Amino acid sequence: MNELRGVACGLLLLASAAACAPGGGASTALQCAREEPALDSEARLRELDLLAHHGPIIPTERQLDGIRQFVISGGHLGWCHDRFRDNDIRRTGPLVPIQSRTDSTVADTALGTHARVRVYYSDAVVDWLRNGRQGPIPDGAMIVKEMYPGLPGAMDERVDGWAVMVRDSQASHDGWLWYLYYRPGNVPYKLPFESGQYGMSFCIACHASADRESTFAFVGNLTSKDVTTFVELPGRPGAPGDRPPDGAHGRLAETFLSRAAELVQEAPNSLEKDLFPWLLYRPLHTPRKHLNGFPELFDVPGIEELARREPRTLPMDAAYDHVPPAADSGEARPFVTASVCSGCHEAADLLNGTNPEMTVAVGEHSFDKLQFPLALDDPKLAALTPYGEWSGSLMSVSARDPVFRAQLESEMANYPAHAGDTESFCFGCHAPMGQRTFPHLEDKLDNSYQIPDDIDPDRNAEAALFGALSRDGVSCAVCHHIADENLGTPASFNGRFVTGPATELYGPYQHVKTMPMQAGLGIEPLHGAHLAESGLCGTCHMVKAPVADDEEIDSAHEQTTYLEWRNSDYADVSAADARTCQDCHMPTTNPLSPAGAEPTRAQIANIEDSSFPHSANRRSSHDLDAEVRTGYRRHTLVGINLFTLSFFQQFPRALGSNTFYPVRAMSAVVSPKALAMEEMTRLAQRDTARLEIAGVESADDTLRITVRIANLAGHKFPTGVGFRRAFVTAELSSDDGARVWCSGCSNGLGVITDGRGEPLPSELPRHSNAFEPYHAVITGEDQAQIYESRHVNAGGRLTTSFLELDREVKDTRLLPKGWDPAAYPDYEMNPVGRPIADPPHVETFVYAVPLAVARRASKLSLTLNYQALPPYYLIDRVALLGRERGSEKFPESQRLLHLLSHLDLEGDSAARAIRGWKLEIARAEQTLGW
């Protein structure tokens, strides 16, 4: 159960289903309805000692247990409570006719966040209400909301669960510990539900709209004054749909309870231990139980035994990667995790009967071209939300990326004298929030060459904060906290961006509503035009790494993507085809519209505004009602690295990265990691490169095939880290499909082979120290056209270590349109080993096939393939395991080995798009009419 402590939305299967439904004791002649105390509530609260005192990011198990037992035993029953309607149970919204999504039936639905409630207030809250809601609510005060399901008279009046607020002004800016509990037997699924968190974004998304103290508590409700209820029906945009009449809180619980009921028989071990990860971290696509062929590539003793060994799992993000704003919002904590942003900038089902903002109907849209299912359920909506799409991108898992972790582990193991500097250097872009908040901890918390994964704030609160911030990767607050200073200049490269004050975040819009974010987070959203500039991306996509042998001897560029874009026509703002990084990687169109061309249109936040049923003490519509934006930028933030994303789809538990985050609109929303796979494939096959057969002619007993490839990207292709590569497969086949001749063919593991199926020397560089040169003319099956960058170390050996990039011996990558070879001479970005074409972005070369061989073929096929993780690179990444047997010393390498060895590359899975460990970018075919 320790694993579930402080979980954003967890399940607790209690041994006892006992719960106490409060009775309706007679009210006294006080200014509020107060029942005779059944218990000494104030004394009980003192005993519970619920306050955090030091403000850890995760409530302790003792705190959650104390609140649960307090409400179950009726510790609040002696307090004043609301007087309203039937049996003092009030609806929180009107009944409105809602048409079902699936048929034409119309039924009255309770439009509101909660269904029916009775709210109790501790004496400190009552005193605050009687004082006109003036001044702060004292720490230790509590509000207990009993929640009742269904419509009046439709069900019995047993309480379904409790929503509790415990005042703790020292824990987070909003000043509350939020707690939600649904008792056993509350719905037919019979399973309890518990959630407890400081700064819980699902709650704050509504409660930040209150005029003060994050509560709408109204003194009139204590005195039976029904003067503020449902003065008008809301006009919330978005298509309505069938929803259970239990309010948003009920739907949040129902999402997990219903899924739990379906999975009870499937859960592998003890339900109490495994149900939470089983629900939130269930693979979108099932990995292989038995080893695939990858271990055969790795020259490591006992490799199969190591590959079968279960890796150490990373902390679950939904449980542990949550850092709300500090109570003082000071410089000591300049960043918050994305979970804090998720309540308002995700598809949160806050209002019963409507679809959340920024969701679009899936309708008849089919993802069949990827040939894998979207999600565990039948999704009806796609969430084009900032948080949702970011969470499906590799930006969100940059610090959990098993490839990055294995690379970092090997760099630090091979060069221990530089370990601290190396970790700091890499964290600057992969884990910037932890690195910048606690720079003094980088080389102290963990000596096993991994990002610190401490999750126990009682043992070390600073370490837990550092780990949570680090694991959140390139989070919302990273980019939106960057100030407009030095962007696009060398001073900002290598992740050396300048951040603004902790109380400010920057976005692309003017005239935004600032009050909800200021009230809930203590942060003011400000206009920052620089958020739309490519220089913002250049801070981490221009990287010059130190080169070390026994000592640092030089430095070399690990990637130059930003300056590659600068050295292209796309950077010319006056040109018709000018495009920024954001234009390609943050599209403004709805992908489910015809041809994906319809612009996005919605508010960019889900909050409680004037479209909700009227509530007392809510800010004015002027403070809350956000402008509807047309063409808002989606946070897809994807490249075409389907390879790494497949790890997160098939091994979410091992990597601690959930496939379904609790605040999403029930289970009707497509998993963001599935939507990201679609976006990656779209980008790869539509906007990356064009391949064509420019000519086929025979002369001098030779069939000459001219190939033309145009780079459509705004930078080199491939770009980024040097080990990415593309290669061309040219295949001649007979009428029956038999292969007659092939250059650039590959086996099932993506290893490029010759005509006999043997790996080319370039594929096993540790044995051959050879790379495949550029070919203007390819004359044999033992030659292949590979577009890549290769380096050697100071000893002349080919290397994939970033600390050994002594000299580039090959760079044949495709150039972008408008490349100027004289630009940026200090950055050595021109091709190595091949000439610059005219125009630079169009590559032409020839296959020369013996005519006697070619005449046996009837079909010519050309394919441009991409590999984000070539096999030769993966061989290097697991090489540490051959140094010392066992996985304990090198856990990151062992984890990557296990994932690679069990990845499903063949079945109906996400990885099917990269079957054969290659992604098809473009294809051309021609019939040979002999």
Side-chain angles (χ1 to χ4, degrees):
M1 294 297 287
N2 290 336
E3 192 176 46
L4 304 186
R5 243 178 50 185
V7 65
C9 280
L11 290 167
L12 293 177
L13 301 183
L14 305 178
S16 171
C20 178
S27 62
T28 63
L30 298 175
Q31 295 184 30
C32 66
R34 186 183 186 103
E35 298 173 352
E36 294 300 327
L39 297 169
D40 185 351
S41 301
E42 297 296 338
R44 185 73 178 281
L45 279 178
R46 288 191 295 272
E47 292 173 7
L48 290 174
D49 191 24
L50 295 177
L51 300 188
H53 303 298
H54 301 293
I57 56 175
I58 301 173
T60 65
E61 188 171 352
R62 180 174 177 274
Q63 287 174 293
L64 300 186
D65 287 344
I67 299 174
R68 184 190 325 114
Q69 294 305 322
F70 180 76
V71 294
I72 285 178
S73 63
H76 57 291
L77 296 187
W79 295 347
C80 295
H81 66 78
D82 287 358
R83 297 288 295 173
F84 191 83
R85 297 198 182 222
D86 321 315
N87 193 26
D88 298 337
I89 301 173
R90 62 184 177 93
R91 284 189 286 114
T92 58
L95 300 180
V96 297
I98 297 292
Q99 182 172 332
S100 169
R101 284 197 189 106
T102 55
D103 55 44
S104 59
T105 60
V106 176
D108 281 346
T109 301
L111 192 69
T113 298
H114 300 264
R116 296 183 302 131
V117 301
R118 179 194 281 128
V119 185
Y120 289 81
Y121 309 91
S122 69
D123 288 350
V125 180
V126 174
D127 291 342
W128 178 74
L129 290 173
R130 288 172 172 163
N131 193 39
R133 294 170 55 93
Q134 298 301 308
I137 299 176
D139 285 352
M142 288 180 67
I143 300 174
V144 177
K145 182 177 295 183
E146 294 178 346
M147 296 180 290
Y148 296 83
L151 306 178
M155 300 182 69
D156 61 38
E157 300 302 349
R158 290 198 313 159
V159 64
D160 238 9
W162 297 267
V164 182
M165 299 166 63
V166 181
R167 185 66 177 174
D168 189 346
S169 62
Q170 300 304 306
S172 59
H173 173 79
D174 63 284
W176 294 96
L177 167 58
W178 305 86
Y179 177 83
L180 181 66
Y181 178 72
Y182 275 79
R183 59 183 292 274
N186 63 307
V187 289
Y189 308 108
K190 309 299 184 186
L191 298 174
F193 170 90
E194 182 176 67
S195 167
Q197 201 173 64
Y198 297 112
M200 184 184 289
S201 60
F202 179 73
C203 300
I204 293 175
C206 285
H207 281 261
S209 297
D211 64 358
R212 65 194 64 194
E213 298 295 275
S214 298
T215 177
F216 301 100
F218 172 50
V219 71
N221 286 343
L222 299 177
T223 56
S224 304
K225 292 183 178 178
D226 183 8
V227 295
T228 63
T229 307
F230 319 145
V231 295
E232 60 183 14
L233 289 179
R236 187 174 181 82
D242 52 333
R243 290 282 196 271
D246 293 334
H249 288 67
R251 291 197 308 280
L252 181 69
E254 186 195 40
T255 297
F256 292 94
L257 297 177
S258 61
R259 291 162 69 85
E262 297 169 359
L263 298 174
V264 160
Q265 300 304 317
E266 301 180 47
N269 298 306
S270 164
L271 283 178
E272 181 174 337
K273 178 181 178 182
D274 296 320
L275 191 53
F276 169 71
W278 189 247
L279 290 173
L280 270 66
Y281 297 85
R282 201 176 187 208
L284 294 183
H285 311 285
T286 305
R288 292 169 57 98
K289 293 182 179 180
H290 306 292
L291 300 182
N292 56 30
F294 268 116
E296 300 172 11
L297 288 180
F298 308 133
D299 187 16
V300 174
I303 189 67
E304 292 190 357
E305 175 190 347
L306 290 175
R308 291 189 181 96
R309 188 172 299 176
E310 289 290 333
R312 184 171 65 189
T313 60
L314 300 182
M316 294 181 289
D317 53 2
Y320 300 110
D321 292 0
H322 178 71
V323 179
D328 58 2
S329 297
E331 291 296 336
R333 195 186 296 173
F335 297 102
V336 297
T337 52
S339 58
V340 174
C341 311
S342 65
C344 300
H345 295 290
E346 169 60 318
D349 246 337
L350 301 179
L351 183 61
N352 195 37
T354 64
N355 290 337
E357 287 291 331
M358 297 171 286
T359 55
V360 294
V362 171
E364 299 301 320
H365 180 85
S366 173
F367 289 69
D368 287 345
K369 65 184 178 184
L370 289 183
Q371 298 180 309
F372 67 90
L374 286 175
L376 301 179
D377 304 293
D378 178 23
K380 299 178 176 65
L381 301 171
L384 311 184
T385 62
Y387 174 84
E389 295 206 90
W390 166 86
S391 70
S393 76
L394 294 179
M395 301 278 277
S396 71
V397 293
S398 61
R400 293 177 177 272
D401 179 355
V403 181
F404 161 70
R405 283 179 169 245
Q407 177 93 41
L408 178 58
E409 182 177 73
S410 66
E411 305 286 13
M412 298 175 72
N414 290 328
Y415 294 97
H418 299 285
D421 292 339
T422 300
E423 189 172 37
S424 178
F425 181 83
C426 296
F427 279 13
C429 285
H430 278 263
M433 297 196 300
Q435 186 236 31
R436 286 170 174 260
T437 306
F438 301 105
H440 60 287
L441 295 183
E442 289 175 316
D443 59 352
K444 296 180 180 178
L445 290 182
D446 196 340
N447 294 320
S448 62
Y449 314 133
Q450 64 176 333
I451 291 174
D453 293 325
D454 198 317
I455 57 177
D456 190 345
D458 292 336
R459 180 172 62 245
N460 189 334
E462 196 174 56
L465 281 167
F466 178 69
L469 289 168
S470 295
R471 290 188 301 270
D472 214 39
V474 185
S475 193
C476 314
V478 175
C479 297
H480 288 277
H481 200 37
I482 295 176
D484 188 7
E485 186 173 337
N486 300 329
L487 297 180
T489 71
S492 70
F493 298 163
N494 279 15
R496 295 193 298 262
F497 52 84
V498 176
T499 58
T503 54
E504 295 179 0
L505 288 177
Y506 311 108
Y509 297 119
Q510 299 180 10
H511 313 301
V512 298
K513 304 299 184 182
T514 62
M515 192 285 299
M517 192 177 291
Q518 287 178 309
L521 308 181
I523 297 173
E524 181 180 9
L526 299 173
H527 176 236
H530 60 287
L531 267 291
E533 298 174 2
S534 295
L536 186 84
C537 310
T539 58
C540 280
H541 290 281
M542 277 296 300
V543 180
K544 195 171 188 178
V547 178
D549 196 349
D550 292 330
E551 59 184 32
E552 184 175 324
I553 57 175
D554 202 349
S555 58
H557 283 96
E558 177 248 17
Q559 63 176 289
T560 58
T561 304
Y562 171 69
L563 283 187
E564 292 165 17
W565 168 83
R566 280 266 293 268
N567 194 19
S568 76
D569 284 353
Y570 302 109
D572 182 0
V573 295
S574 64
D577 56 356
R579 285 183 288 175
T580 64
C581 305
Q582 291 86 338
D583 287 333
C584 293
H585 298 281
M586 299 184 69
T588 60
T589 53
N590 172 6
L592 304 187
S593 64
E598 177 184 292
T600 53
R601 178 177 170 80
Q603 294 175 193
I604 58 171
N606 285 294
I607 64 171
E608 178 165 342
D609 54 21
S610 64
S611 68
F612 278 58
H614 184 78
S615 176
N617 302 313
R618 187 168 63 202
R619 298 269 185 167
S620 70
S621 60
H622 178 269
D623 292 328
L624 301 175
D625 292 353
E627 179 181 340
V628 174
R629 309 284 181 178
T630 299
Y632 67 83
R633 290 209 176 275
R634 296 165 51 206
H635 287 54
T636 53
L637 299 168
V638 296
I640 56 174
N641 187 359
L642 284 80
F643 302 80
T644 300
L645 185 60
S646 294
F647 294 139
F648 287 91
Q649 291 208 344
Q650 296 192 30
F651 305 96
R653 182 64 189 95
L655 299 173
S657 179
N658 73 87
T659 52
F660 185 84
Y661 195 65
V663 300
R664 294 188 183 118
M666 301 179 62
S667 54
V669 173
V670 176
S671 170
K673 289 183 173 65
L675 187 60
M677 187 70 80
E678 164 77 2
E679 290 297 312
M680 285 183 170
T681 306
R682 185 196 307 268
L683 187 66
Q685 298 179 345
R686 185 187 65 183
D687 300 326
T688 299
R690 183 173 60 247
L691 170 70
E692 60 182 10
I693 300 171
V696 178
E697 57 184 8
S698 57
D700 301 327
D701 298 325
T702 300
L703 182 69
R704 294 180 62 86
I705 304 165
T706 302
V707 180
R708 183 177 294 125
I709 304 174
N711 180 15
L712 305 180
H715 41 66
K716 288 183 181 180
F717 173 66
T719 189
V721 290
F723 53 80
R724 316 289 194 208
R725 74 177 183 182
F727 64 95
V728 180
T729 301
E731 185 174 358
L732 293 171
S733 57
S734 60
D735 287 336
D736 60 2
R739 179 182 298 167
V740 173
W741 186 93
C742 185
S743 162
C745 279
S746 58
N747 62 24
L749 301 178
V751 175
I752 301 174
T753 60
D754 60 18
R756 296 171 299 145
E758 295 297 321
L760 298 185
S762 61
E763 301 303 278
L764 302 173
R766 285 192 172 273
H767 300 301
S768 66
N769 198 41
F771 61 87
E772 183 72 5
Y774 173 81
H775 301 279
V777 179
I778 291 178
T779 59
E781 294 178 278
D782 59 347
Q783 300 171 337
Q785 198 71 294
I786 306 176
Y787 300 105
E788 62 183 348
S789 170
R790 297 303 308 269
H791 283 77
V792 295
N793 61 19
R797 297 288 303 180
L798 287 169
T799 183
T800 59
S801 166
F802 294 152
L803 300 185
E804 295 182 350
L805 302 179
D806 183 61
R807 179 168 56 91
E808 190 174 34
V809 293
K810 178 186 180 183
D811 185 355
T812 57
R813 294 174 293 175
L814 300 172
L815 301 175
K817 183 180 179 182
W819 184 267
D820 180 0
Y824 307 108
D826 294 339
Y827 290 88
E828 300 178 342
M829 297 191 300
N830 282 322
V832 176
R834 80 168 178 91
I836 297 177
D838 185 17
H841 71 293
V842 179
E843 156 77 353
T844 303
F845 68 97
V846 173
Y847 290 99
V849 184
L851 194 57
V853 174
R855 284 189 177 276
R856 302 204 306 266
S858 60
K859 181 181 178 181
L860 166 65
S861 300
L862 293 175
T863 308
L864 178 63
N865 304 294
Y866 172 74
Q867 289 177 329
L869 303 173
Y872 76 81
Y873 171 80
L874 297 173
I875 291 172
D876 283 359
R877 291 291 67 75
V878 303
L880 283 181
L881 297 175
R883 181 182 303 178
E884 295 186 29
R885 292 293 304 277
S887 59
E888 290 75 15
K889 187 170 179 60
F890 303 116
E892 306 299 339
S893 298
Q894 193 274 330
R895 179 186 294 111
L896 179 60
L897 170 64
H898 178 86
L899 304 186
L900 277 169
S901 302
H902 291 84
L903 192 70
D904 178 14
L905 299 176
E906 301 298 329
D908 290 334
S909 71
R912 191 169 181 177
I914 51 173
R915 176 176 285 183
W917 205 240
K918 58 188 177 183
L919 171 63
E920 181 180 307
I921 300 297
R923 185 175 178 85
E925 296 181 347
Q926 182 172 319
T927 301
L928 301 177
W930 298 112

